[in-house]
Amino acid sequence: QKEVEQNSGPLSVPEGAIASLNCTYSDRGSQSFFWYRQYSGKSPELIMSIYSNGDKEDGRFTAQLNKASQYVSLLIRDSQPSDSATYLCAVTSGGSNYKLTFGKGTLLTVNP
Amino acid sequence: SAVISQKPSRDICQRGTSLTIQCQVDSQVTMMFWYRQQPGQSLTLIATANQGSEATYESGFVIDKFPISRPNLTFSTLTVSNMSPEDSSIYLCSGEEGHTEAFFGQGTRLTVV
């Protein structure tokens, strides 16, 4: 059973701080890695994708991937109350370029 | 990015009945996926739906319980059959875009009583 593990949370940070979200995966064959944000009662929305080792930055978000350690993380700089949501890590698995396995998510709360 | 319109957004159904959920994409996508998100849990893939072939089901999910149609490249349905309270969940469809960047419909919140 391919697994994706996330730090359980909930994670609480003050406004303006850096929020760090972590994820490990068990399938060494995984090729694509994603972070989704899910507000309560809403469907997931893609915020970051990363496919190669290293860092990828998009505005206040930075995704980091280390395939040797089977580890992917998401940093949110200058956290805002509107960032409060559950963050889901997802990886392709099962030898597929399309099938996603999701972690259970980390609930982030940004306090004003 | 592409947009999926999913309906119904929510429903309350009697046990033993069936509900069909529809997803309409505003562009053609090769692969569509159906997920279930049980309360407080993450997404679990039910099946992959390709146009012109039978859906591929994940372990623990069977066609008799979750029949899927994919008549063309912009549309898919999932039926939850012979429902029980354990089927109460959020059901989500998704399509792939570009390099496997999945996008989701709004979800269907199903309550079985």
Side-chain angles (χ1 to χ4, degrees), chain A residues 9-63:
Chain A
L11 176 64
S12 182
V13 301
E15 184 174 356
I18 295 175
S20 177
L21 304 166
N22 303 314
C23 174
T24 59
Y25 59 95
S26 63
D27 185 358
R28 286 197 170 274
S30 296
Q31 295 294 319
S32 304
F33 308 86
F34 307 91
W35 285 98
Y36 286 84
R37 178 175 61 199
Q38 187 174 27
Y39 292 112
S40 180
K42 302 294 185 183
S43 62
E45 58 178 322
L46 180 68
I47 55 172
M48 288 289 285
S49 58
I50 188 166
Y51 307 105
S52 56
N53 283 328
D55 295 358
K56 179 181 177 182
E57 186 174 318
D58 184 0
R60 296 186 296 111
F61 299 96
T62 298

Side-chain angles (χ1 to χ4, degrees), chain A:
Chain A
Q1 180 77 17
K2 306 303 181 183
E3 294 184 347
V4 177
E5 301 284 345
Q6 295 184 241
N7 47 338
S8 56
L11 176 64
S12 182
V13 301
E15 184 174 356
I18 295 175
S20 177
L21 304 166
N22 303 314
C23 174
T24 59
Y25 59 95
S26 63
D27 185 358
R28 286 197 170 274
S30 296
Q31 295 294 319
S32 304
F33 308 86
F34 307 91
W35 285 98
Y36 286 84
R37 178 175 61 199
Q38 187 174 27
Y39 292 112
S40 180
K42 302 294 185 183
S43 62
E45 58 178 322
L46 180 68
I47 55 172
M48 288 289 285
S49 58
I50 188 166
Y51 307 105
S52 56
N53 283 328
D55 295 358
K56 179 181 177 182
E57 186 174 318
D58 184 0
R60 296 186 296 111
F61 299 96
T62 298
Q64 299 174 318
L65 175 62
N66 184 325
K67 289 186 178 181
S69 300
Q70 296 175 239
Y71 173 89
V72 59
S73 67
L74 179 70
L75 298 177
I76 307 175
R77 291 181 300 280
D78 187 23
S79 296
Q80 301 297 310
S82 60
D83 295 326
S84 299
T86 296
Y87 288 81
L88 301 169
C89 173
V91 307
T92 52
S93 60
S96 168
N97 289 327
Y98 304 102
K99 287 172 50 175
L100 292 177
T101 300
F102 284 82
K104 292 186 176 181
T106 299
L107 176 62
L108 171 65
T109 300
V110 181
N111 301 305

Side-chain angles (χ1 to χ4, degrees), chain B residues 69-113:
Chain B
S69 76
R70 184 79 200 278
N72 56 55
L73 291 175
T74 64
F75 188 77
S76 181
T77 68
L78 169 77
T79 299
V80 186
S81 302
N82 188 24
M83 288 184 284
S84 66
E86 292 72 33
D87 294 320
S88 297
S89 188
I90 298 173
Y91 292 85
L92 292 146
C93 63
S94 76
E96 106 288 2
E97 181 173 50
H99 186 26
T100 77
E101 294 179 355
F103 54 99
F104 288 85
Q106 302 93 326
T108 297
R109 185 179 296 272
L110 171 63
T111 302
V112 183
V113 298

